[in-house]
């Protein structure tokens, strides 16, 4: 699939040159820092040296005082506390964080995760019924609840106090909770709005520590869980999230909690985990239980001790293998269906009644890799069509779905991803309407995958010093991605090797130099015919380090190649 290369806007030359001099780095890296809002020596120092002392005061968050006071009373009066969380990675890490921390102070704790299929997302009626039947005094809801108007009333009417820790956008009406913590509330003055659900739970515990003069070091022991939530929930790795992710990854790589240690071991990865490794290796294993059976299996792993966690991790690994098989089979079917349509649609909406509900969001993302357009995958559940939508960069899929709301039972989500439910009889009409809406609104360039390059750079600037400075910009993730470099007019003197019929590997050099640089291009075997010995081409790539038997070398991990002049 042809891609469009877009270079990020050039910042002011004087600012770049000044920063380059002040912190002694080359101008290419200084340009990337300035593009990311780091313009002065002090800002660079703060960026390169994250510190837990710079975390925001939790009591800046609206209702934190009420929440901490209520939690303190519940703990010290030995009240029964139900820790309630969503079934995804953010929800299960949130529940595990609160449970593991509070169990040092209370033996009156239980956790509850709703069933993805029988209860659905958010605080469920069944969950509140469980709390009532088991005489809980306090519910702490994590990564959900900001729109749970009816369930909050149900808890209040039953005399149960509810603390909500959420990070999703509130609706026009707020739930009548004892305390609602959500930095996205309009009147909340908390300076950082992009915490994960687990991050909001962390702030509650931080407030609890401050109020009760408990050493925060006890809480920092659990930062590996917070880092897993930040990575898996794809929140921006800036500001407070950067600090939490930095120290959380450190903990994950040096002395992880028992459950995460077992997952790391079963993943087989030997090198240090990055944000992206968590997203692709740990996150899917934690998520697999919620997708295929029940997410309480994930919490049992994350809160378990070392005598139990290996068995729990084996179980999650098996679930993840099942999930992968479903995912691959359904993706193959979906791609066949799109190919059979053989038309010029601007959207993809597919329905098949026997597709597994737990993987349709993943399948939608996979389809976009082949057909770059807004995509919705639907299956049948409880006599209705239910589905997941994924979008392409810059197109608001939630808004597009809202234009079809008269055909839907319910829908929710955000710009890039959404969920929806509709009567089976409305599926065909919905497919037509959604295509109309997308065709009217989508820009032609949004249908072409974008390769966003941070800066053009000559190969002469690709050195270990460049790599080492760049590496200190980690952890990489949304809003602080690993820099993507562009270099024009590179040449190969020998044909690259094709590996497993899919990938290419070889050596290249600048047109004006003979110094060789190793490169690898995953999934780029189709480019082989165009790469000709002695003929210049252009590359977009990440700079990475190879470490083979202690021998370190730099490698260019290609993201795309171009052959135009």
């Amino acid at each position: 699939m042809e891609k469009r290369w877009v270079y990020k806007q050039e910042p002011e030359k004087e600012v770049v040159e000044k920063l380059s001099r002040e912190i002694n780095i080359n101008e290419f890296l200084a340009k990337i820092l300035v593009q990311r809002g780091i313009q002065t020596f002090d800002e660079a120092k703060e960026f390169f040296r994250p510190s837990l002392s710079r975390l925001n005061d939790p009591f800046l968050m609206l209702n934190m005082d009420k929440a901490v006071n209520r939690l303190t009373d519940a703990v010290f009066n030995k009240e029964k506390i139900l820790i309630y969380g969503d079934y995804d990675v953010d929800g299960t890490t949130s529940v595990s964080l609160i449970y593991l921390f509070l169990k040092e102070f209370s033996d009156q704790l239980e956790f509850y995760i709703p069933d993805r299929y029988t209860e659905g997302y958010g605080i469920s009626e069944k969950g509140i019924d469980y709390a009532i039947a088991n005489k809980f005094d306090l519910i702490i809801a994590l990564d959900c609840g900001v729109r749970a108007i009816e369930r909050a009333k149900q808890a209040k009417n039953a005399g149960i106090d509810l603390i909500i820790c959420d990070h999703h956008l509130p609706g026009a009406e707020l739930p009548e909770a004892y305390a609602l913590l959500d930095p996205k509330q309009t009147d909340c003055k908390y300076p950082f709005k992009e915490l994960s659900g687990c991050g909001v739970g962390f702030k509650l515990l931080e407030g609890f520590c401050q109020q009760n003069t408990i050493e925060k070091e006890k809480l920092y022991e659990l930062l590996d869980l917070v880092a897993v939530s930040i990575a898996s929930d794809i929140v921006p790795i800036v500001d407070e999230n950067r600090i939490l992710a930095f120290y959380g990854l450190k903990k994950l790589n040096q002395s992880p909690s028992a459950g995460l240690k077992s997952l790391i071991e079963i993943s087989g990865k030997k090198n240090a985990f990055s944000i992206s490794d968590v997203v692709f290796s740990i996150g899917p294993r934690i998520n697999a239980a919620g997708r295929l059976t029940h997410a309480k299996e994930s919490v049992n792993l994350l809160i378990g001790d070392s005598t139990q966690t290996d068995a729990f991790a084996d179980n999650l690994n098996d679930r993840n293998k099942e999930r992968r098989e479903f995912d691959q089979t359904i993706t193959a079917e979906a791609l066949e269906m799109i190919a059979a349509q053989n038309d010029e649609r601007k959207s993809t909406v597919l329905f098949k009644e026997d597709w597994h509900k737990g993987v349709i969001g993943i399948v939608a993302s996979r389809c976009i890799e082949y057909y770059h357009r807004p995509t919705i995958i639907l299956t049948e559940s409880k006599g209705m069509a239910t589905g997941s939508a994924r979008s392409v960069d810059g197109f608001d899929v939630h808004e597009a779905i809202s234009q079809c709301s008269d055909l839907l039972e319910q829908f929710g989500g955000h710009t890039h991803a959404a969920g929806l439910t509709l009567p089976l009889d409305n599926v065909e009409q919905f497919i037509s309407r959604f295509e109309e809406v997308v065709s009217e609104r989508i820009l032609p360039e949004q249908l072409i995958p974008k390769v966003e390059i941070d800066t053009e750079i000559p190969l002469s600037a690709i050195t270990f010093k460049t790599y080492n400075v760049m590496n200190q910009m980690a952890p990489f993730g949304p809003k602080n991605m690993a820099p993507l470099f562009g270099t024009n007019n590179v040449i190969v003197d020998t044909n690259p090797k094709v590996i497993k019929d899919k990938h290419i590997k070889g050596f290249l050099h600048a047109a004006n130099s003979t110094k060789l640089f190793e490169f690898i291009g995953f999934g780029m075997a189709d480019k082989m015919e165009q790469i000709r010995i002695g003929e210049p081409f252009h590359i977009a790539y990440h700079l990475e380090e190879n470490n083979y038997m202690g021998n370190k070398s730099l490698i260019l991990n290609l993201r795309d190649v171009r052959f135009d002049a």
Side-chain angles (χ1 to χ4, degrees), residues 491-539:
I491 288 172
V492 295
D493 291 334
T494 54
N495 281 323
K497 283 183 194 161
V498 177
I499 304 165
K500 296 182 180 173
D501 296 329
K502 281 193 212 168
H503 319 302
I504 56 172
K505 192 173 187 184
F507 290 87
L508 53 77
H509 60 86
N512 58 359
S513 164
T514 54
K515 186 183 177 188
L516 292 175
F517 290 83
E518 189 174 12
F519 72 87
I520 188 158
F522 291 103
M524 288 195 182
D526 60 325
K527 305 286 187 189
M528 269 297 287
E529 286 175 23
Q530 292 162 281
I531 297 176
R532 297 200 173 91
I533 290 171
E535 289 189 16
F537 59 102
H538 318 307
I539 55 174

Side-chain angles (χ1 to χ4, degrees), residues 470-485:
M470 182 200 78
N471 215 29
Q472 288 178 56
M473 293 169 66
F476 297 120
K479 297 275 164 61
N480 185 45
M481 300 300 282
L484 188 64
F485 297 111

Side-chain angles (χ1 to χ4, degrees), residues 53 183 411 536 560:
S53 65
F411 71 100
D560 199 27

Side-chain angles (χ1 to χ4, degrees), residues 16 37 40 61 84 112 114 127 144 153 163 227 247 259 337 341 377 478 492 497 505 515 554 557:
V16 171
T40 66
M61 197 177 291
Y84 187 109
Y112 187 99
C144 61
K153 280 180 189 160
I163 295 173
Y247 286 97
M337 286 166 74
Q341 289 170 346
I377 304 293
V492 295
K497 283 183 194 161
K505 192 173 187 184
K515 186 183 177 188
L554 297 175
N557 186 339

Side-chain angles (χ1 to χ4, degrees), residues 403-446:
Q403 299 302 305
C404 314
S405 59
D406 56 305
L407 301 172
L408 306 176
E409 189 74 17
Q410 62 181 57
F411 71 100
H414 49 85
T415 310
H416 290 299
L420 62 160
T421 305
L422 64 158
L424 291 168
D425 290 346
N426 289 359
V427 168
E428 287 306 317
Q429 204 182 337
F430 174 77
I431 292 172
S432 303
R433 174 93 64 83
F434 186 72
E435 171 62 21
E436 272 173 41
V437 172
V438 173
S439 296
E440 281 169 16
R441 295 168 178 233
I442 200 158
L443 302 172
E445 61 266 26
Q446 290 171 336

Side-chain angles (χ1 to χ4, degrees), residues 18 77 113 185 202 262 471 516:
K18 184 169 183 284
N77 295 329
I113 305 281
Q185 289 180 80
F202 174 85
S262 295
N471 215 29
L516 292 175

Side-chain angles (χ1 to χ4, degrees), residues 22 190 237 467:
E22 285 181 343
Y190 194 74
I237 313 279
Y467 172 77

